[in-house]
Amino acid sequence: MNEPAIRCNGIGKQYRIGERENYKALRDTIANAISAPFRRQRTNGHEVPGDRTFWALKDVSFEVKPGEAVGLIGRNGAGKSTLLKILSRITMPTLGEASLNGRVASLLEVGTGFHPELTGRENIYLNGAILGMKKSEIKSRFDEIVAFAEIEKFVDTPVKRYSSGMYVRLAFAVAAHLEPEILLVDEVLAVGDAGFQKKCLNKMQEVGEHGRAVFFVSHNMSAITRLCHRAILLDRGRVVADGSAHQVVGAYLRAGTGTMAAREWAEDSPGNEITRLRAVRVRTEDGRIPEAIDIRQPVGIEIEFDVLQPGSVLVPNYHFFNEEGVCAFVASDQDPEWRRRPRPVGSYVSTAWIPGNFLSEGSISVGAAVSTMDPTIVHFYEPDVVAFQIVDTLEGNSARGDYAGAVPGVVRPLLQWTTRYKPSGEPTKVHTEERAL
């Protein structure tokens, strides 16, 4: 059985507020001993202990196998960067241990591992040497690194004169092309433009396919679900979820919005004396209530409501919003059975089905209502009643295709394309090809 590329066992990291990380030489130990009495807090001549410690990580345990791409997500301050620094050996854990099996390349911030006075060429060889590579190995990859970073004209310029974008392009190119067994990447890729981010995501996927481990930290949930099959969610320094990237991302977004894929009322439900809302649920075709939906699969929004008085034409309707608060569309029940005649007293369950390859990836929140259209009466409207996540990958048949960058828009339909081809020099021969992209 292969050894894990990364193994963390009970990792804890404690910081003392107001103090720097200790990297002690002998002179530091002597200086600290002399200055210690003056750093104590005293009140009326008595020492005030005060809790000035902070646990950035606490009891973090997981394994990453060779060839596995794992996403690390969580709010700002959850401990993601601290964990990467421990894995990169920049800092040591207070408790537990982290073991890495193989050569490690880290890209944690702009300029990581670069000497500002050295040129791009010199820094490539320096980073390769730090990774333990021979000069001949670095030389064989040199042209590929420079081409990927798009710095051909500036390769002999000191990197202190590089822009932040040039810095990160070269840093990623070095980290990804010098054949590390483990690649650690932080949100630093956000510095690059959309085209470069696409190249990076494609390269990280290629690294994983060649049996190397990728540990990727990002606030871009679409990038996480495209690149990683597995994700780890950190909250206040602890692992709160570890599993399928789609499920973990869905749990993270649901916790952030305070909404869920299902909501029910036993009493005090929205409505009036005519109708009352009982439940709204997100459904898959097999009846599950999912946290995340593959972009290719249809998703149903189910509303359950009671009619308390006869005589009203009642139309269920939904309002769909993306994570930026933009209304993607509004849908209402067009069933002729109930569109023009009053509904009898009783309970109803209506489901609207959104086809696969229609919504764009991201978080979708739903407002649910029951209305009378003529005259217009809104009997109840419950905003953000449920939410779900649409996820896409670079595998399968979707409108994304093999493009890894950001795709704008509130919807992303997979359209039919028709192409007419006329060979050069043969004006009378026309070839028609129809294909779905």
Side-chain angles (χ1 to χ4, degrees):
M1 181 179 292
N2 291 335
E3 283 290 316
I6 302 172
R7 176 188 283 127
C8 289
N9 184 21
I11 292 291
K13 180 62 180 178
Q14 184 187 62
Y15 290 103
R16 187 171 295 276
I17 299 172
E19 292 188 6
R20 295 182 180 179
E21 183 83 24
N22 290 324
Y23 305 98
K24 292 185 179 179
L26 176 60
R27 65 176 182 273
D28 300 319
T29 303
I30 296 172
N32 285 343
I34 295 172
S35 62
F38 302 99
R39 295 199 306 268
R40 294 174 184 161
Q41 300 177 24
R42 295 180 178 276
T43 302
N44 297 326
H46 298 286
E47 184 176 340
V48 178
D51 185 6
R52 297 180 60 80
T53 61
F54 168 72
W55 286 94
L57 294 172
K58 212 164 188 180
D59 195 25
V60 173
S61 300
F62 62 89
E63 292 183 355
V64 178
K65 299 176 182 177
E68 191 174 18
V70 178
L72 183 65
I73 61 177
R75 299 174 184 270
N76 290 331
K80 304 185 298 299
S81 295
T82 299
L83 179 57
L84 280 187
K85 288 177 181 178
I86 290 174
L87 295 178
S88 301
R89 299 293 192 258
I90 295 173
T91 188
M92 298 301 293
T94 307
L95 298 173
E97 61 179 1
S99 60
L100 293 92
N101 183 26
R103 197 158 50 196
V104 181
S106 304
L107 186 55
L108 307 187
E109 58 186 36
V110 176
T112 298
F114 281 3
H115 192 296
E117 298 296 334
L118 299 181
T119 66
R121 181 187 304 273
E122 292 165 338
N123 270 294
I124 291 173
Y125 281 94
L126 173 62
N127 273 261
I130 291 172
L131 286 173
M133 299 185 69
K134 297 178 180 179
K135 186 176 181 179
S136 59
E137 292 180 277
I138 304 171
K139 187 175 181 180
S140 67
R141 309 302 301 273
F142 182 85
D143 291 340
E144 189 177 350
I145 291 171
V146 173
F148 187 94
E150 302 171 6
I151 59 161
E152 291 91 339
K153 294 181 180 179
F154 308 99
V155 68
D156 291 311
T157 301
V159 297
K160 67 181 181 180
R161 297 195 176 97
Y162 284 12
S163 68
S164 59
M166 294 168 66
Y167 248 122
V168 76
R169 289 203 303 271
L170 180 58
F172 182 86
V174 170
H177 286 80
L178 294 184
E179 299 184 349
E181 279 79 26
I182 301 169
L183 180 60
L184 308 176
V185 184
D186 202 350
E187 189 69 282
V188 65
L189 296 184
V191 176
D193 57 28
F196 181 69
Q197 289 180 29
K198 171 191 173 182
K199 287 172 61 175
C200 290
L201 289 172
N202 286 338
K203 187 62 181 179
M204 284 192 286
Q205 187 176 41
E206 179 185 323
V207 167
E209 290 171 351
H210 282 81
R212 302 168 199 157
V214 178
F215 202 60
F216 180 41
V217 176
S218 181
H219 289 285
N220 184 337
M221 297 301 104
S222 298
I224 291 288
T225 56
R226 288 200 303 273
L227 178 68
C228 307
H229 292 290
R230 175 184 165 203
I232 297 172
L233 173 59
L234 284 183
D235 184 35
R236 299 180 183 179
R238 296 179 181 271
V239 174
V240 296
D242 183 351
S244 161
H246 292 181
Q247 294 178 345
V248 174
V249 165
Y252 171 57
L253 294 171
R254 187 176 67 247
T257 61
T259 57
M260 300 175 59
R263 191 170 175 186
E264 300 178 356
W265 287 264
E267 54 186 26
D268 297 327
S269 60
N272 54 23
E273 69 280 359
I274 295 174
T275 182
R276 289 277 179 182
L277 178 63
R278 294 305 176 197
V280 182
R281 306 177 186 93
V282 179
R283 294 282 192 190
T284 59
E285 284 186 302
D286 58 5
R288 292 182 299 107
I289 298 177
E291 297 174 344
I293 299 287
D294 189 291
I295 200 168
R296 303 160 193 79
Q297 302 301 317
V299 55
I301 311 300
E302 174 185 282
I303 184 170
E304 182 179 340
F305 61 99
D306 291 341
V307 175
L308 307 177
Q309 293 182 9
S312 297
V313 177
L314 302 176
V315 179
N317 54 94
Y318 298 120
H319 299 240
F320 295 86
F321 296 86
N322 67 7
E323 53 201 19
E324 297 175 352
V326 176
C327 183
F329 62 97
V330 176
S332 59
D333 187 358
Q334 299 295 324
D335 186 350
E337 175 70 18
W338 304 111
R339 186 69 180 180
R340 292 298 175 189
R341 75 182 184 92
R343 295 190 185 233
V345 171
S347 296
Y348 296 81
V349 178
S350 297
T351 306
W353 287 96
I354 304 170
N357 283 313
F358 178 76
L359 288 172
S360 184
E361 61 192 306
S363 181
I364 303 294
S365 62
V366 184
V370 167
S371 308
T372 297
M373 299 305 183
D374 188 17
T376 301
I377 302 171
V378 179
H379 298 281
F380 63 77
Y381 174 69
E382 191 68 11
D384 300 326
V385 63
V386 293
F388 58 97
Q389 176 77 4
I390 297 293
V391 294
D392 197 359
T393 67
L394 296 178
E395 303 172 357
N397 187 32
S398 77
R400 170 175 290 283
D402 59 359
Y403 175 65
V407 182
V410 294
V411 294
R412 189 183 302 165
L414 182 64
L415 304 179
Q416 285 292 127
W417 287 71
T418 300
T419 301
R420 291 187 176 276
Y421 168 60
K422 183 167 64 176
S424 177
E426 298 182 30
T428 60
K429 182 180 180 181
V430 178
H431 171 69
T432 301
E433 178 185 0
E434 294 189 4
R435 57 193 177 99
L437 296 181

